[in-house]
Amino acid sequence: MKTHCLPWFVIGIIVSLGSVFLGIPSASAQDREAPPDTYGAESADYGWGGEEEEADVTDPLRIFGTVGIGTSLRFIQDLDYAQERFAPAFLDFWGGVVLPGSSFRHTLGAQLALNISGDGSASIGVDPASQLVLGPTYGLYIPLDDWVFLPKFTVPIAVSPEPSLGFELTVLAAYRFLAGLGAYAEIGASVWIGGAGSIHPLLSGELGIMIDYEVLP
């Protein structure tokens, strides 16, 4: 029995020595080798840490202006001044700046208005081109594609023929048919303080042309 087992023992020794000297890898060595990194160096950047944060986009200063014609509807008529239901038609100029920012932006401007029709009688009333109104304005610039909405609060001051103070809230909607040019419609409500503390509420509307110019840095 021992003479039959001896050759297999010798063969096992020869195979073991051959694996050592010839460098044949063993199964245990292969198991210890780690597989290569399939994703390479880019895998280290995967996730939130590898992404760059988007910077906030700030639009530059804009110059905004309007020229329009409008009229006002009186809620209360002062018969002592022979007032009509509709106040005199007026020519309105407004200009201001849209401050840098994004989405909703602040606007600062000024209004200049001049009546182009008369009101009342020849002895008591207002002649055409005789009533000049000035007023500072604060508003919000709201762009929506080709449309621009501009709600404004104005403190109009009549400087002629007699000084008078008012408060006005308006909303302008403009459509830009060119990059910096468009048409607009505006509606608003105002209250004027007349003589002897009288109150004169008005509903006004106007149509015109607007200019919207971006000041590049």
Side-chain angles (χ1 to χ4, degrees):
M1 295 295 291
K2 293 181 180 180
T3 57
H4 291 86
C5 294
L6 182 60
W8 294 105
F9 177 76
V10 174
I11 292 173
I13 295 175
I14 295 173
V15 172
S16 299
L17 293 175
S19 64
V20 173
F21 290 101
L22 295 178
I24 299 175
S26 62
S28 60
Q30 292 177 356
D31 294 338
R32 290 194 300 268
E33 291 180 357
D37 188 358
T38 305
Y39 299 97
E42 295 180 356
S43 62
D45 294 335
Y46 182 78
W48 295 103
E51 295 181 355
E52 296 181 358
E53 296 183 357
E54 295 183 359
D56 293 336
V57 178
T58 301
D59 294 327
L61 185 77
R62 304 185 75 92
I63 296 175
F64 197 94
T66 62
V67 179
I69 296 176
T71 188
S72 299
L73 175 67
R74 289 189 174 104
F75 291 104
I76 300 174
Q77 292 177 261
D78 191 339
L79 300 180
D80 293 337
Y81 289 91
Q83 289 181 346
E84 301 176 3
R85 177 59 64 183
F86 284 92
F90 57 87
L91 183 63
D92 184 65
F93 299 90
W94 186 89
V97 294
V98 181
L99 302 180
S102 58
S103 186
F104 301 101
R105 299 166 62 181
H106 302 281
T107 65
L108 299 174
Q111 176 193 39
L112 186 153
L114 181 68
N115 69 311
I116 56 178
S117 64
D119 185 36
S121 62
S123 58
I124 302 176
V126 177
D127 295 329
S130 63
Q131 190 172 50
L132 181 65
V133 176
L134 303 174
T137 298
Y138 166 78
L140 290 176
Y141 178 87
I142 307 173
L144 295 174
D145 295 329
D146 293 330
W147 289 87
V148 175
F149 294 91
L150 189 67
K152 297 182 297 182
F153 176 72
T154 305
V155 182
I157 303 171
V159 296
S160 66
E162 295 180 0
S164 180
L165 177 66
F167 302 94
E168 184 178 41
L169 182 63
T170 61
V171 177
L172 177 148
Y175 177 76
R176 293 180 289 197
F177 48 78
L178 293 176
L181 187 65
Y184 78 91
E186 187 175 41
I187 187 170
S190 61
V191 175
W192 288 84
I193 302 174
S198 60
I199 302 298
H200 303 272
L202 299 172
L203 178 66
S204 61
E206 65 179 86
L207 300 172
I209 300 296
M210 71 91 176
I211 297 174
D212 186 6
Y213 177 75
E214 185 178 77
V215 180
L216 296 177

